[in-house]
Each structure stands twice: as C-alpha cells, then as structure tokens.
Amino acid sequence: PTGEPVEGDVLREYVKIAREEGTMFLMDEFYSHYMYEPKSAGDARPFRTLSSAEFVEDVEKDPVCIVNGFTKNWRLPGFRVCWVVGPKHCIDVLGSIGSFMDGGANNPLQKAAIPLLDPEFVEKDALALQAHFRAKRDYMINELEKMGIKAQRPKGGLPQSTFYLWADVSALPPPLSNGVIFFEYCIRHKVICVPGIFFDVNPWHRRRFHKSPYLNMLRLSYGPAWPNLRAAVKGMKEIIDLAKAGKLPPLDAYSPPASPPLRMPDGSLTGPRSVKKTARL
C-alpha cells in the first residue's frame, strides 16, 4: 500500500535467493508501468519500468514466474487476459489448470490483445499513463497535506509507483486520528478508503486491535477518475472541518439518504430505497 517499488539490487537479491534455494518466486508485475521518477542513468528502456526478468539468467532453470496482464498497466480490468513467463514445466501446469477451471481466455479477446502489445503502442501508452497518474499523485498529496494528512514513504520523498498512498491521520483532531474511525466517517460522506490495519501482518490475531502499528494509517487510491478524486477530497475536507469546529456528529447520527420509489413493470411503486454513492479512494 506504500507506493514503494521493489527494484534494482533488492530485486536482484530476491531472484538470487530464489535461484540458490530452489524456491519459486512468483512476481506480480501488473503495476510495472506505474512508475513516476526519471529513468536511471544508462537505462535503455523506452520508459521507466521494472521487471524481475532483468535478473533471470536462464528462464528454464531459474524458479521465477512473472505474471502480467491488461487489468492494471493497460487499464482494462474487464478484458480478463493475462500472461505468465517462466519455466516451461510451470507454464504447462498452469495451462492445464486454466483449461480445467475456466477454459482460459476466449479466442476473440486473445486476438484483440495482440495490437495492444505492439512495442510502439506500449511505449506511447505507458508514457501517457505515467504523466496522467503522476499529476493525480501530486494533486492528492498536496490536498492531503493541506488537510493535515501526510502521505508516507519508507525511504522518504514521494511515492514512486502504483496508484496508492500510505496516509497518516495521526495529526488530525480526535477521533479522526484513528484510521478506522476516519474510514467510518468517510463512508458516511460518500468516500471509501482502506484502514491501515487491514495491511497489518498479524497471524491468528495475536496482537490486539488497538495495538496495531497501523491504527492511524489509511491506504488511499488515486486510481479513480478526476471527478471522483475531487469529490473524495471535498468529502474528507468536510469531515475534518466539522471536527475542527467541534461539530462532528456521532457516527450513529448518520442515516443513509432515501432514493425516490422504484416503479415496477406493473406500474406499482416500491417504498423509498436507501442508496449510497461513493467516490472510491
């Protein structure tokens, strides 16, 4: 959730350990185009990206399987086409599993995918994607800081990849300094975020809820369209302004808005419906 990429010497070491220990390394590279910093000196690739393929010495011997697809990098979540690069015996097994489970991607979609993999198209699309999401990242970080919410990164500076922010709400007025409570108020103001405790590695729930180191953290996404981002910022500002003014109502004081009655095929009307529309973060 931090927007921190695993690349360079760190990624090289992971692949080396997999090779030396004979342990399968499954690499999810669905976000590999969402990179926002300039390329490193000497990088001949057409745009900033990362892949464990860079450190694979022999694709048939190194126990590394790389998974990618159209869901994130090509922004086509409904396309349901992906691919795996790895040792042939692994690909054969995966192909068998896919055949038994769902038959694999249908033939028309596979054919439609081919032009989207043209290197010239991929380069232009990736550069446009990076410019677009870099602008949204900068907008969200700037707006959050105005509200008193700090987007953190383990190594400092700006998040360099994906479209997620690891946000610290501890400086907000209580009770909004608790990420779970902030999340509950967001829901009531038509904003969705993810409490940081959902990312806490806590086997068998040994650590009590209130002892989580991520209790004051949120994962926010700047993946949605611009109107949704602006609506989400507006909703969060409203919550924080109410808290600062001492006018934040208790959570149980909220009730969902009622929609107009729904007309049935026979002409009759249903009763009022409770509807919530949210700007997802």
Side-chain angles (χ1 to χ4, degrees):
T2 64
E4 181 72 19
V6 177
E7 58 181 337
D9 291 339
V10 175
L11 185 54
R12 185 197 307 275
E13 188 66 18
Y14 277 135
V15 174
K16 179 184 177 184
I17 291 171
R19 181 185 304 118
E20 292 176 347
E21 300 298 327
T23 301
M24 174 56 67
F25 179 35
L26 184 62
M27 182 63 176
D28 174 357
E29 298 190 354
F30 275 76
Y31 292 92
S32 56
H33 292 183
Y34 292 84
M35 305 286 289
Y36 308 121
E37 300 306 309
K39 294 191 301 178
S40 302
D43 188 348
R45 290 173 290 193
F47 55 89
R48 174 77 184 274
T49 186
L50 62 82
S51 177
S52 52
E54 182 180 0
F55 307 113
V56 170
E57 295 177 356
D58 187 327
V59 70
E60 292 293 353
K61 295 181 180 180
D62 287 349
V64 177
C65 280
I66 300 168
V67 187
N68 206 333
F70 289 104
T71 302
K72 293 294 193 297
N73 285 333
W74 279 260
R75 299 158 326 280
L76 295 170
F79 215 89
R80 315 315 294 172
V81 172
C82 73
W83 53 90
V84 183
V85 178
K88 184 178 185 300
H89 68 275
C90 293
I91 306 304
D92 289 343
V93 172
L94 288 172
S96 296
I97 294 172
S99 178
F100 281 108
M101 288 183 64
D102 59 12
N106 63 67
N107 186 259
L109 278 183
Q110 291 187 54
K111 290 183 177 179
I114 294 173
L116 301 178
L117 295 171
D118 177 77
E120 184 176 350
F121 172 82
V122 173
E123 177 181 350
K124 292 179 180 178
D125 186 69
L127 290 172
L129 175 149
Q130 291 175 354
H132 179 77
F133 279 86
R134 185 185 299 111
K136 291 204 288 187
R137 176 200 66 177
D138 294 347
Y139 166 79
M140 282 299 298
I141 290 175
N142 184 53
E143 293 298 325
L144 290 171
E145 288 182 349
K146 290 178 184 177
M147 289 184 259
I149 301 174
K150 184 178 180 181
Q152 292 190 345
R153 178 177 170 237
K155 297 180 181 178
L158 296 175
Q160 293 188 8
S161 61
T162 73
F163 44 73
Y164 300 116
L165 298 175
W166 190 232
D168 183 355
V169 297
S170 60
L172 296 181
L176 300 182
S177 53
N178 180 304
V180 178
I181 295 177
F182 188 88
F183 159 76
E184 291 286 352
Y185 275 101
C186 281
I187 290 287
R188 289 155 175 78
H189 285 254
K190 304 181 181 180
V191 179
I192 294 180
C193 54
V194 182
I197 59 168
F198 290 1
F199 301 94
D200 189 1
V201 179
N202 187 17
W204 301 100
H205 303 288
R206 292 189 179 97
R207 189 189 308 111
R208 291 179 180 272
F209 170 86
H210 66 282
K211 295 291 186 179
S212 171
Y214 306 133
L215 191 59
N216 60 337
M217 304 301 294
L218 296 171
R219 190 199 73 171
L220 304 176
S221 169
Y222 49 93
W226 276 109
N228 295 47
L229 287 184
R230 296 189 178 99
V233 166
K234 181 175 180 292
M236 289 190 290
K237 283 181 177 178
E238 290 173 354
I239 299 167
I240 294 170
D241 287 344
L242 285 171
K244 288 180 176 178
K247 298 180 179 179
L248 191 67
L251 287 169
D252 58 8
Y254 289 85
S255 60
S259 70
L262 179 66
R263 186 173 295 278
M264 304 302 289
D266 63 0
S268 63
L269 295 176
T270 66
R273 294 174 296 129
S274 177
V275 175
K276 286 185 179 181
K277 294 183 179 179
T278 59
R280 180 152 191 159
L281 276 181

